């Protein structure tokens, strides 16, 4: 079995996405607004979007992003990922910020080995390790991300990695945490990825004619998200920094009160 480098390219042909944001080339694009925080204040819509890579957009997708007046794209992909699959952007985008993160041993040979061996435990640990790494080793990137969020001139802003689930998922969780969104709603947003990439995961399994249940489970583990993955990040924060609030304020130097003024409805 040979796994292609397109393993992380999403096929959106049958994806269930919100009709307002039907990106044919990226079904994991979505608005982070609409959630209510613990004080019953709603996160504003139309300002911050999370996404997977934007390299497969068609003209209709580009037009939609232009209609959203997308102004800034933050790309968490590694330099190699960015070079191999360039984001396509609408003319409204004036800022493309690369905050590259190399997530663990994300080599295709390593992924292929886990699939071939049907090593379900290794695939789950791989994703939990990545989330721990994001907390401890990629603070500069996330600090820079919040600095961008502080400037209204950067809005509307979209941030992405490759599949839009790990590096992006952690960034989204931090952003919503800074706005005092309830932790269960944060997990709800995080887990939305599974529905959006469901058809692609199924197609990948069919394409490589995987029959072994453990191999299938490895693919599902790698290409989707589990609550335990994000929990690994939060547990690492609590272990080293006591709380997410401390991590945001002391490590990433986020002014949460200022962010709440920008992104929460009155």
């Amino acid at each position: 079995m040979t796994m292609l480098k397109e393993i992380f390219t999403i096929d959106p042909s049958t994806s269930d996405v919100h009709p307002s944001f039907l990106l044919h080339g990226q079904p994991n694009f979505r608005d982070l607004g609409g959630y209510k925080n613990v004080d019953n204040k709603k996160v504003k819509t139309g300002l911050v979007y999370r996404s997977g890579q934007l390299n497969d957009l068609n003209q209709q997708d580009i037009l939609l992003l232009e209609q959203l007046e997308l102004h800034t794209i933050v790309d968490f992909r590694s330099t190699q990922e960015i070079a191999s699959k360039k984001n396509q952007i609408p003319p409204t985008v004036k800022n493309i910020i690369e905050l590259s993160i190399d997530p663990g041993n994300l080599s295709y040979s390593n992924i292929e080995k886990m699939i071939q061996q049907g090593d379900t435990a290794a695939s789950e640990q791989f994703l939990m390790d990545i989330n721990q790494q994001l907390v401890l080793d990629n603070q500069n990137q996330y600090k820079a991300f919040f600095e961008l969020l502080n400037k209204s001139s950067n809005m509307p802003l979209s941030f992405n990695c490759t599949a839009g689930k790990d590096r992006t998922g952690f960034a989204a969780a931090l952003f919503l945490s800074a706005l005092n969104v309830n932790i269960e709603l944060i997990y709800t947003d995080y887990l939305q990825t599974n529905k959006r990439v469901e058809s692609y995961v199924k197609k990948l399994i069919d394409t490589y004619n995987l029959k072994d249940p453990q191999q299938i489970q490895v693919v599902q583990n790698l290409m989707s998200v589990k609550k335990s993955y994000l929990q690994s990040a939060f547990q690492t924060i609590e272990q080293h920094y006591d709380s997410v609030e401390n991590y945001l304020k002391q490590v990433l130097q986020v002014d949460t009160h200022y962010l709440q003024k920008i992104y929460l409805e009155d």
Side-chain angles (χ1 to χ4, degrees):
M1 177 185 64
T2 301
M3 304 304 293
L4 299 178
K5 288 190 175 182
E6 283 70 21
I7 188 169
F8 287 117
T9 302
I10 298 171
D11 180 348
S13 57
T14 59
S15 295
D16 180 16
V17 296
H18 193 288
S20 298
F21 307 115
L22 181 58
L23 293 187
H24 293 277
Q26 182 45 256
N28 211 10
F29 179 90
R30 59 188 191 266
D31 196 326
L32 273 177
Y35 294 110
K36 287 187 177 181
N37 75 353
V38 296
D39 299 314
N40 208 35
K41 290 187 175 182
K42 186 180 289 186
V43 180
K44 293 178 182 178
T45 59
L47 292 179
V48 180
Y49 302 90
R50 57 174 294 177
S51 181
Q53 62 190 10
L54 302 172
N55 64 295
D56 284 330
L57 304 187
N58 61 22
Q59 285 303 115
Q60 183 179 341
D61 296 335
I62 296 291
L63 179 60
L64 175 56
L65 294 181
E66 185 176 356
Q67 291 172 341
L68 295 177
E69 299 182 345
L70 189 64
H71 191 78
T72 301
I73 291 177
V74 179
D75 199 333
F76 288 117
R77 293 179 298 164
S78 69
T79 54
Q80 183 178 2
E81 289 172 302
I82 292 172
S84 65
K85 294 185 180 296
K86 298 284 188 181
N87 277 339
Q88 300 182 48
I89 61 171
T92 55
V93 172
K94 304 303 178 185
N95 304 316
I96 302 176
I97 313 297
E98 295 178 5
L99 300 177
S100 295
I101 295 174
D102 290 299
N105 185 16
L106 190 60
S107 67
Y108 293 103
S109 61
N110 186 41
I111 292 169
E112 182 177 320
K113 181 180 178 181
M114 279 189 280
I115 296 173
Q116 288 176 332
Q117 294 179 347
D119 196 339
T120 57
S123 62
E124 288 196 19
Q125 189 62 49
F126 176 72
L127 271 300
M128 289 193 287
D129 288 347
I130 283 177
N131 277 274
Q132 293 173 13
Q133 173 204 316
L134 297 177
V135 172
L136 299 174
D137 299 339
N138 300 114
Q139 296 167 5
N140 289 339
Q141 290 91 334
Y142 290 112
K143 180 181 177 182
F145 170 63
F146 276 101
E147 289 171 353
L148 292 167
L149 291 173
N150 279 337
K151 298 178 182 178
S152 59
S153 59
N154 289 326
M155 302 304 124
L157 175 150
S158 174
F159 59 97
N160 70 272
C161 53
T162 299
K165 68 186 190 72
D166 299 309
R167 291 162 285 187
T168 293
F170 182 56
L174 289 176
F175 173 68
L176 294 175
S177 294
L179 302 181
N180 279 336
V181 173
N182 182 279
I183 185 64
E184 289 307 318
L185 283 179
I186 292 174
Y187 284 127
T188 296
D189 176 77
Y190 182 73
L191 292 170
Q192 274 194 50
T193 287
N194 292 339
K195 184 65 175 176
R196 292 168 181 266
V197 302
E198 186 177 48
S199 63
Y200 169 67
V201 175
K202 183 179 184 302
K203 184 175 181 178
L204 183 66
I205 291 168
D206 292 342
T207 297
Y208 293 101
N209 196 31
L210 298 179
K211 302 297 183 183
D212 184 280
Q214 288 184 297
Q215 289 183 329
I216 292 172
Q217 186 62 56
V218 169
V219 171
Q220 291 172 335
N221 288 348
L222 292 172
M223 300 310 301
S224 58
V225 293
K226 292 187 176 184
K227 188 174 181 179
S228 59
Y229 300 163
L230 185 56
Q231 283 177 326
S232 178
F234 284 141
Q235 289 167 359
T236 302
I237 288 175
E238 291 172 0
Q239 178 183 354
H240 292 269
Y241 307 103
D242 294 330
S243 68
V244 175
E245 182 179 11
N246 283 345
Y247 183 73
L248 287 166
K249 292 181 177 180
Q250 297 177 11
V251 179
L252 303 186
Q253 298 181 0
V254 177
D255 186 338
T256 56
H257 294 295
Y258 183 69
L259 276 186
Q260 289 164 23
K261 289 180 181 179
I262 297 174
Y263 294 106
L264 294 178
E265 295 180 357
D266 296 331

